[in-house]
Amino acid sequence: MQKLTVLGATGSIGISTLAVVEANPEQFSIYALTGHSQVKKLVEQAVKFRPEVIVVGSADLAKEARTLVEQHQLNVEIEFGEQALERVASAEGVDTVVAAIVGAAGMRSCLAAARASKRILLANKEALVMSGQLFIDEVKKYNACLLPVDSEHNAIFQSLPLDYQQGYLDKSIEDYGVTSIILTGSGGPFRETALEDLPFKTPKQACAHPNWSMGQKISVDSASMMNKGLEFIEACYLFGVSPDFIEVLIHPQSVIHSMVRYQDGSVLAQMGQPDMKTPIAHTMAWPKRITSTVEPFDFVKCSGFTFQAPCQERYPNLYLAKEAFRQGQEVTTVLNAANEEHVDRFLKGQIAFTDIAKYNARILEKLSPQKACNLTDILEIDKQARSLAHELLN
Ligand code: NAD
Ligand code: MG
C-alpha cells in the first residue's frame, strides 16, 4: 500500500489522480489532499478518500473548511499556507507526493518532497523550469525518485529502456544509443487561425483545447505553445540533454505523446488516448502497471496521424523558451515568472492573447538577472521578474 500526498488535488491533474486511486483502492491510501481556494471540492474529496490532513490557502479558508468538515462529521486535520504544503509533502509515512499545483506556487513543496526523499510524481512543470538544475541536484542528493507525469516526458521515459529509467538522473541518454528526443504537441486551438486574428482571441477560446481537458493556465500556454517551451526546458533538465538534442513536432491528433530516436534508425513512441490518467497511473505504479480506467485507443476509428513543424511567427513563446534555456537557469526563472503574470492578465481580460509573448520578450530584454546559486536567489529573481511585469503593465 502506497501512502500519497496529492498537492493540487482539486485541479485537473489532482482529480485524475484520485480517479486512478479509486480504480486501485487496494494499492493506494491518501495522507493529505491540498486545494488552495476550492474548499467545497476539497472537502467533498476528503469525504470520499478519507485523508488524514487537508490543506487550504489561508486561515479564513481553513475556517470555511472546518464548518464543512463538521457538517460531514469528518475526522480530518485542517491546515493552511505554504508551510503546511511543505509539511504534508515531507511528512513521515508518506511514500509518494503528486506535485500537481500550478505554477511557481508549487516549487517549495516540490523541494520539500525531494529533501524528504519521497517518490515525486511531477506534473508541476513550472517548479522544475523555475529551479532547474538546483531541483534535480536536490532530488539526487536526497535520493528521491522523480517520475515525469507530463505526458510528453512520461512518453519519452517510457520509450527508454528500463535499465536507463532506474536512476536515470545519473545516466547519459546517449550511452543508450539515443540520438534525439522528439517532443510532440498538438499546436493548440489556434493552429489554423489566421495570424491577424490571433490578437482578438478570448480566454474562453484559448482554453478550449481540441484534445486535452486541463486547467486554465496550461490551456493558455498550450494555445501559445509556451507549454511546449516549458516542456522543452523540462526535458533538458530531466534527461540531461542540450537543446540541440530535442526536436519539436506538431502532431494535431495528440495520440503519439512523444518519441525517442535511436542510432540504428529506430524511433520508439508511446501512444494512447489524450488522457492524463494514463501517465499518472504509469508513474503511480512504475515499474509495474495498473489500470487507469482509460479506454483503449481505437486505431481503426482514428482518422490518421499528421505532423508539421512549428512556425516561429505563430508560436514566438516556444522560441523564447528555447533561447532562455540557452542563456541559463536564471533566464528560465525570469521567463516562467513573466509568463505566469502575463497569462494571468490575459485570463482577466487585461491584455491581448498576442501580448503574452510580446511582453514576455520585453521582460527578457530588460531584466539581466544575477546568477542563481541557491533557492533564495531563484525566489529573488522570480520576484524581480514579477515586479517588472507589473511595473511595465501599469
Ligand atoms: P488546475 O488549475 O486545474 O489545478 C491547479 C491546482 O493547484 C488546484 O488544486 C489549485 O487549488 C492549486 N493551486 C493553485 N494555486 C495555488 C497556490 N497559490 N498555492 C497552492 N495551491 C494552488 O491545473 P492543472 O491543469 O491540474 O495543472 C497542474 C500542473 O500540472 C501544472 O503545472 C500543469 O502545467 C501541469 N500539467 C497539467 C496537465 C493537464 O492535463 N492538466 C498536463 C501536464 C502537466
Ligand atoms: Mg504536456
Side-chain angles (χ1 to χ4, degrees):
M1 187 79 133
Q2 263 187 70
K3 203 172 240 193
L4 260 57
T5 280
V6 185
L7 302 169
T10 52
S12 166
I13 293 287
I15 290 169
S16 294
T17 303
L18 292 178
V20 179
V21 170
E22 196 179 0
N24 300 276
E26 66 299 335
Q27 298 198 44
F28 303 99
S29 68
I30 306 284
Y31 170 72
L33 297 175
T34 87
H36 204 55
S37 60
Q38 292 152 295
V39 177
K40 193 161 171 272
K41 202 192 256 182
L42 185 64
V43 173
E44 279 164 14
Q45 291 179 334
V47 170
K48 192 161 176 187
F49 292 95
R50 302 282 159 165
E52 294 172 37
V53 188
I54 56 173
V55 181
V56 294
S58 68
D60 283 347
L61 292 165
K63 228 189 243 169
E64 216 179 287
R66 168 71 48 216
T67 309
L68 291 170
V69 159
E70 279 166 8
Q71 278 170 13
H72 288 283
Q73 296 180 323
L74 204 61
N75 183 17
V76 64
E77 269 178 57
I78 303 167
E79 299 185 24
F80 64 89
E82 178 122 45
Q83 278 180 356
L85 293 177
E86 290 181 50
R87 199 195 67 69
V88 296
S90 57
E92 216 184 356
V94 169
D95 304 293
T96 300
V97 175
V98 181
I101 289 174
V102 59
M107 193 193 73
R108 283 173 186 270
S109 46
C110 277
L111 273 170
R115 290 174 181 153
S117 313
K118 302 298 185 196
R119 176 173 169 129
I120 306 166
L121 314 189
L122 184 75
N124 183 195
K125 66 192 85 186
E126 295 91 347
L128 178 56
V129 168
M130 182 182 175
S131 58
Q133 197 55 43
L134 285 168
F135 178 52
I136 299 286
D137 289 345
E138 293 296 274
V139 169
K140 288 203 230 176
K141 181 172 165 194
Y142 292 95
N143 212 8
C145 171
L146 183 66
L147 295 170
V149 169
D150 209 350
S151 58
E152 296 75 8
H153 308 76
N154 184 268
I156 295 159
F157 188 81
Q158 292 201 46
S159 304
L160 289 158
L162 182 62
D163 180 55
Y164 170 81
Q165 292 175 7
Q166 281 157 337
Y168 71 103
L169 293 177
D170 288 315
K171 293 178 180 170
S172 158
I173 208 170
E174 285 165 86
D175 291 346
Y176 290 82
V178 175
T179 52
S180 78
I181 284 171
I182 306 171
L183 199 59
T184 55
S186 69
F190 306 148
R191 186 173 51 87
E192 290 183 320
T193 304
L195 290 178
E196 60 272 23
D197 293 340
L198 285 179
F200 309 105
K201 290 294 167 190
T202 64
K204 197 169 165 214
Q205 290 169 318
C207 289
H209 196 281
N211 308 336
W212 298 92
S213 151
M214 311 182 284
Q216 284 195 316
K217 196 262 176 183
I218 184 175
S219 296
V220 175
D221 282 347
S222 297
S224 74
M225 265 184 114
M226 176 52 96
N227 185 47
K228 215 47 56 187
L230 297 176
E231 290 179 353
F232 183 93
I233 297 168
E234 187 184 7
C236 289
Y237 287 127
L238 282 174
F239 304 110
V241 296
S242 67
D244 304 331
F245 210 79
I246 303 179
E247 307 168 47
V248 178
L249 187 63
I250 293 186
H251 163 50
Q253 296 78 20
S254 300
V255 174
I256 297 174
H257 300 310
S258 277
M259 303 184 260
V260 173
R261 280 189 206 276
Y262 288 86
Q263 62 188 358
D264 59 5
S266 301
V267 180
L268 298 196
Q270 184 265 355
M271 293 180 240
Q273 302 278 10
D275 187 323
M276 289 305 293
K277 289 197 288 295
T278 295
I280 291 168
H282 169 263
T283 55
M284 283 169 76
W286 181 84
K288 297 191 174 148
R289 298 272 175 177
I290 50 173
T291 179
S292 69
T293 73
V294 173
E295 288 290 310
F297 181 73
D298 188 336
F299 283 89
V300 175
K301 281 198 187 132
C302 100
S303 56
F305 293 171
T306 56
F307 304 97
Q308 69 193 73
C311 133
Q312 186 157 3
E313 234 186 324
R314 184 176 297 281
Y315 303 116
N317 267 333
L318 169 64
Y319 295 83
L320 283 182
K322 288 185 179 186
E323 183 49 32
F325 183 82
R326 281 183 210 278
Q327 287 180 26
Q329 161 78 74
E330 305 72 43
V331 186
T332 65
T333 308
V334 169
L335 179 62
N336 179 64
N339 184 60
E340 281 190 30
E341 293 300 321
H342 296 140
V343 169
D344 184 54
R345 295 288 184 120
F346 168 68
L347 284 169
K348 288 177 175 149
Q350 295 171 0
I351 63 172
F353 177 71
T354 40
D355 287 339
I356 301 172
K358 196 161 89 191
Y359 295 161
N360 285 346
R362 184 168 71 170
I363 302 282
L364 289 183
E365 226 170 85
K366 289 193 186 285
L367 193 69
S368 313
Q370 77 272 20
K371 197 158 172 46
C373 301
N374 53 41
L375 180 62
T376 316
D377 296 344
I378 295 277
L379 291 170
E380 178 54 32
I381 295 166
D382 176 83
K383 204 165 108 195
Q384 282 171 6
R386 286 173 203 269
S387 36
L388 182 60
H390 283 280
E391 202 183 295
L392 293 176
L393 286 168
N394 288 337

Short mmCIF file of all heavy atoms in Angstrom, two decimals, residues 8-14 34-38 85 100-103 105 123-126 150-151 212-216 218 276, ligand 1:
data_model
loop_
_atom_site.label_atom_id
_atom_site.label_comp_id
_atom_site.label_asym_id
_atom_site.label_seq_id
_atom_site.Cartn_x
_atom_site.Cartn_y
_atom_site.Cartn_z
N GLY A 8 -2.44 19.93 -4.88
CA GLY A 8 -3.26 20.39 -6.01
C GLY A 8 -4.32 19.36 -6.37
O GLY A 8 -4.63 19.14 -7.54
N ALA A 9 -4.91 18.74 -5.33
CA ALA A 9 -5.88 17.65 -5.54
C ALA A 9 -7.14 18.12 -6.26
O ALA A 9 -7.78 17.34 -6.96
CB ALA A 9 -6.25 17.04 -4.19
N THR A 10 -7.48 19.40 -6.11
CA THR A 10 -8.74 19.88 -6.69
C THR A 10 -8.61 20.29 -8.15
O THR A 10 -9.60 20.64 -8.78
CB THR A 10 -9.26 21.10 -5.89
OG1 THR A 10 -8.18 22.05 -5.79
CG2 THR A 10 -9.70 20.69 -4.49
N GLY A 11 -7.40 20.25 -8.70
CA GLY A 11 -7.19 20.64 -10.09
C GLY A 11 -7.41 19.46 -11.03
O GLY A 11 -7.76 18.35 -10.61
N SER A 12 -7.16 19.74 -12.30
CA SER A 12 -7.38 18.73 -13.34
C SER A 12 -6.51 17.48 -13.10
O SER A 12 -7.02 16.34 -13.13
CB SER A 12 -7.06 19.40 -14.68
OG SER A 12 -6.93 18.48 -15.67
N ILE A 13 -5.23 17.66 -12.82
CA ILE A 13 -4.35 16.51 -12.57
C ILE A 13 -4.71 15.83 -11.25
O ILE A 13 -4.75 14.60 -11.15
CB ILE A 13 -2.87 16.97 -12.53
CG1 ILE A 13 -2.42 17.44 -13.91
CG2 ILE A 13 -1.95 15.87 -12.01
CD1 ILE A 13 -2.21 16.38 -14.95
N GLY A 14 -5.03 16.64 -10.24
CA GLY A 14 -5.41 16.08 -8.94
C GLY A 14 -6.63 15.18 -9.06
O GLY A 14 -6.66 14.07 -8.52
N THR A 34 -4.49 18.68 -0.94
CA THR A 34 -4.43 20.14 -0.81
C THR A 34 -5.23 20.80 -1.93
O THR A 34 -5.31 20.25 -3.03
CB THR A 34 -2.98 20.67 -0.84
OG1 THR A 34 -2.57 20.91 -2.19
CG2 THR A 34 -2.01 19.72 -0.15
N GLY A 35 -5.83 21.96 -1.61
CA GLY A 35 -6.74 22.54 -2.61
C GLY A 35 -6.79 24.05 -2.66
O GLY A 35 -7.65 24.58 -3.33
N HIS A 36 -5.92 24.73 -1.99
CA HIS A 36 -5.87 26.19 -2.05
C HIS A 36 -7.22 26.84 -1.78
O HIS A 36 -7.62 26.92 -0.64
CB HIS A 36 -5.29 26.65 -3.38
CG HIS A 36 -4.69 28.02 -3.30
ND1 HIS A 36 -3.73 28.34 -2.38
CD2 HIS A 36 -4.93 29.16 -4.00
CE1 HIS A 36 -3.40 29.60 -2.51
NE2 HIS A 36 -4.12 30.13 -3.48
N SER A 37 -7.96 27.29 -2.81
CA SER A 37 -9.19 28.05 -2.54
C SER A 37 -10.48 27.25 -2.79
O SER A 37 -11.56 27.71 -2.45
CB SER A 37 -9.19 29.32 -3.39
OG SER A 37 -9.13 28.95 -4.74
N GLN A 38 -10.35 26.08 -3.40
CA GLN A 38 -11.59 25.33 -3.71
C GLN A 38 -11.98 24.44 -2.53
O GLN A 38 -11.88 23.21 -2.59
CB GLN A 38 -11.37 24.50 -4.98
CG GLN A 38 -11.23 25.36 -6.22
CD GLN A 38 -10.37 24.65 -7.26
OE1 GLN A 38 -9.19 24.42 -7.05
NE2 GLN A 38 -10.98 24.30 -8.36
N LEU A 85 1.90 23.05 3.21
CA LEU A 85 2.15 22.29 1.97
C LEU A 85 3.48 21.55 2.07
O LEU A 85 3.60 20.38 1.71
CB LEU A 85 2.18 23.21 0.75
CG LEU A 85 0.88 23.91 0.34
CD1 LEU A 85 1.13 24.84 -0.83
CD2 LEU A 85 -0.19 22.89 -0.01
N ALA A 100 1.03 18.52 -8.20
CA ALA A 100 0.08 18.98 -9.22
C ALA A 100 -0.48 20.36 -8.90
O ALA A 100 -1.59 20.70 -9.30
CB ALA A 100 -1.05 17.97 -9.38
N ILE A 101 0.31 21.16 -8.18
CA ILE A 101 -0.04 22.57 -8.02
C ILE A 101 0.38 23.25 -9.32
O ILE A 101 1.34 22.84 -9.95
CB ILE A 101 0.69 23.17 -6.79
CG1 ILE A 101 0.08 22.61 -5.51
CG2 ILE A 101 0.64 24.70 -6.79
CD1 ILE A 101 0.79 23.00 -4.24
N VAL A 102 -0.35 24.30 -9.71
CA VAL A 102 0.03 25.01 -10.93
C VAL A 102 0.96 26.17 -10.59
O VAL A 102 0.74 26.88 -9.61
CB VAL A 102 -1.21 25.48 -11.73
CG1 VAL A 102 -2.10 26.41 -10.91
CG2 VAL A 102 -0.81 26.15 -13.04
N GLY A 103 2.04 26.28 -11.37
CA GLY A 103 2.90 27.46 -11.27
C GLY A 103 3.97 27.39 -10.20
O GLY A 103 4.14 26.39 -9.51
N ALA A 105 4.02 28.54 -7.41
CA ALA A 105 3.48 28.31 -6.06
C ALA A 105 3.78 26.89 -5.56
O ALA A 105 3.75 26.64 -4.37
CB ALA A 105 1.98 28.56 -6.05
N ALA A 123 3.96 16.78 -12.04
CA ALA A 123 3.16 17.41 -13.10
C ALA A 123 3.51 18.90 -13.17
O ALA A 123 3.51 19.49 -14.24
CB ALA A 123 1.68 17.25 -12.81
N ASN A 124 3.83 19.47 -12.02
CA ASN A 124 4.10 20.91 -11.88
C ASN A 124 5.39 21.32 -12.60
O ASN A 124 6.44 21.50 -12.00
CB ASN A 124 4.18 21.21 -10.37
CG ASN A 124 4.38 22.67 -10.02
OD1 ASN A 124 4.73 22.97 -8.89
ND2 ASN A 124 4.20 23.58 -10.96
N LYS A 125 5.29 21.46 -13.93
CA LYS A 125 6.50 21.74 -14.73
C LYS A 125 7.13 23.08 -14.38
O LYS A 125 8.33 23.25 -14.48
CB LYS A 125 6.17 21.65 -16.21
CG LYS A 125 5.23 22.69 -16.74
CD LYS A 125 4.73 22.36 -18.14
CE LYS A 125 3.53 21.44 -18.10
NZ LYS A 125 3.06 20.96 -19.37
N GLU A 126 6.28 24.06 -13.96
CA GLU A 126 6.84 25.38 -13.65
C GLU A 126 7.86 25.29 -12.53
O GLU A 126 8.85 26.05 -12.52
CB GLU A 126 5.74 26.37 -13.27
CG GLU A 126 4.74 26.70 -14.39
CD GLU A 126 3.52 25.77 -14.38
OE1 GLU A 126 3.56 24.74 -13.67
OE2 GLU A 126 2.55 26.06 -15.09
N ASP A 150 4.03 14.73 -16.82
CA ASP A 150 3.74 15.47 -18.05
C ASP A 150 3.77 14.45 -19.19
O ASP A 150 4.74 13.68 -19.32
CB ASP A 150 4.82 16.55 -18.23
CG ASP A 150 4.27 17.76 -18.98
OD1 ASP A 150 3.15 17.67 -19.51
OD2 ASP A 150 4.99 18.78 -19.05
N SER A 151 2.72 14.43 -20.00
CA SER A 151 2.53 13.29 -20.92
C SER A 151 3.72 13.09 -21.87
O SER A 151 4.08 11.96 -22.18
CB SER A 151 1.24 13.45 -21.71
OG SER A 151 1.27 14.66 -22.42
N TRP A 212 -7.18 17.98 -25.14
CA TRP A 212 -6.97 17.75 -23.71
C TRP A 212 -7.90 18.63 -22.90
O TRP A 212 -8.14 19.77 -23.26
CB TRP A 212 -5.53 18.09 -23.31
CG TRP A 212 -4.45 17.30 -23.97
CD1 TRP A 212 -3.79 17.62 -25.12
CD2 TRP A 212 -3.87 16.07 -23.50
NE1 TRP A 212 -2.84 16.66 -25.38
CE2 TRP A 212 -2.86 15.70 -24.41
CE3 TRP A 212 -4.10 15.26 -22.38
CZ2 TRP A 212 -2.08 14.55 -24.26
CZ3 TRP A 212 -3.32 14.11 -22.23
CH2 TRP A 212 -2.34 13.76 -23.16
N SER A 213 -8.35 18.12 -21.75
CA SER A 213 -9.11 18.94 -20.82
C SER A 213 -8.20 19.25 -19.64
O SER A 213 -7.76 18.34 -18.92
CB SER A 213 -10.36 18.16 -20.41
OG SER A 213 -10.74 18.53 -19.13
N MET A 214 -7.86 20.54 -19.44
CA MET A 214 -6.80 20.89 -18.47
C MET A 214 -7.17 22.17 -17.73
O MET A 214 -8.14 22.84 -18.08
CB MET A 214 -5.48 21.15 -19.22
CG MET A 214 -5.10 20.08 -20.21
SD MET A 214 -3.52 20.39 -21.01
CE MET A 214 -3.96 21.65 -22.20
N GLY A 215 -6.36 22.53 -16.76
CA GLY A 215 -6.54 23.79 -16.04
C GLY A 215 -6.34 24.98 -16.99
O GLY A 215 -5.82 24.83 -18.09
N GLN A 216 -6.78 26.16 -16.55
CA GLN A 216 -6.76 27.35 -17.42
C GLN A 216 -5.35 27.77 -17.83
O GLN A 216 -5.11 28.10 -18.98
CB GLN A 216 -7.40 28.51 -16.68
CG GLN A 216 -8.91 28.43 -16.61
CD GLN A 216 -9.49 29.77 -16.20
OE1 GLN A 216 -8.99 30.42 -15.28
NE2 GLN A 216 -10.53 30.20 -16.89
N ILE A 218 -2.42 26.16 -18.06
CA ILE A 218 -1.76 25.30 -19.05
C ILE A 218 -2.51 25.32 -20.38
O ILE A 218 -1.90 25.19 -21.45
CB ILE A 218 -1.56 23.85 -18.53
CG1 ILE A 218 -0.79 23.01 -19.54
CG2 ILE A 218 -2.84 23.18 -18.15
CD1 ILE A 218 -0.44 21.61 -19.09
N MET A 276 -4.77 12.23 -19.16
CA MET A 276 -3.65 12.24 -18.21
C MET A 276 -3.69 11.09 -17.21
O MET A 276 -2.70 10.84 -16.52
CB MET A 276 -3.60 13.58 -17.47
CG MET A 276 -3.14 14.76 -18.32
SD MET A 276 -1.54 14.49 -19.12
CE MET A 276 -0.45 14.47 -17.71
P1 NAD B 1 -5.50 23.36 -12.30
O1 NAD B 1 -5.58 24.81 -12.42
O2 NAD B 1 -6.63 22.53 -12.78
O3 NAD B 1 -5.23 22.95 -10.77
C1 NAD B 1 -4.24 23.60 -10.02
C2 NAD B 1 -4.21 23.12 -8.59
O4 NAD B 1 -3.24 23.90 -7.89
C3 NAD B 1 -5.53 23.26 -7.84
O5 NAD B 1 -5.69 22.18 -6.95
C4 NAD B 1 -5.34 24.55 -7.05
O6 NAD B 1 -6.10 24.56 -5.87
C5 NAD B 1 -3.86 24.51 -6.74
N1 NAD B 1 -3.30 25.85 -6.58
C6 NAD B 1 -3.46 26.92 -7.39
N2 NAD B 1 -2.78 27.98 -6.93
C7 NAD B 1 -2.18 27.59 -5.78
C8 NAD B 1 -1.35 28.24 -4.83
N3 NAD B 1 -1.01 29.53 -4.95
N4 NAD B 1 -0.91 27.53 -3.77
C9 NAD B 1 -1.26 26.23 -3.61
N5 NAD B 1 -2.04 25.56 -4.49
C10 NAD B 1 -2.50 26.23 -5.55
O7 NAD B 1 -4.14 22.92 -13.03
P2 NAD B 1 -3.80 21.53 -13.74
O8 NAD B 1 -4.22 21.58 -15.16
O9 NAD B 1 -4.21 20.39 -12.89
O10 NAD B 1 -2.21 21.61 -13.77
C11 NAD B 1 -1.43 21.40 -12.61
C12 NAD B 1 0.03 21.31 -13.02
O11 NAD B 1 0.19 20.14 -13.83
C13 NAD B 1 0.52 22.49 -13.86
O12 NAD B 1 1.85 22.76 -13.54
C14 NAD B 1 0.42 21.98 -15.28
O13 NAD B 1 1.36 22.58 -16.15
C15 NAD B 1 0.75 20.50 -15.08
N6 NAD B 1 0.20 19.64 -16.12
C16 NAD B 1 -1.14 19.58 -16.30
C17 NAD B 1 -1.67 18.78 -17.30
C18 NAD B 1 -3.15 18.66 -17.51
O14 NAD B 1 -3.58 17.91 -18.38
N7 NAD B 1 -3.98 19.34 -16.77
C19 NAD B 1 -0.80 18.03 -18.12
C20 NAD B 1 0.56 18.11 -17.89
C21 NAD B 1 1.06 18.91 -16.88
#
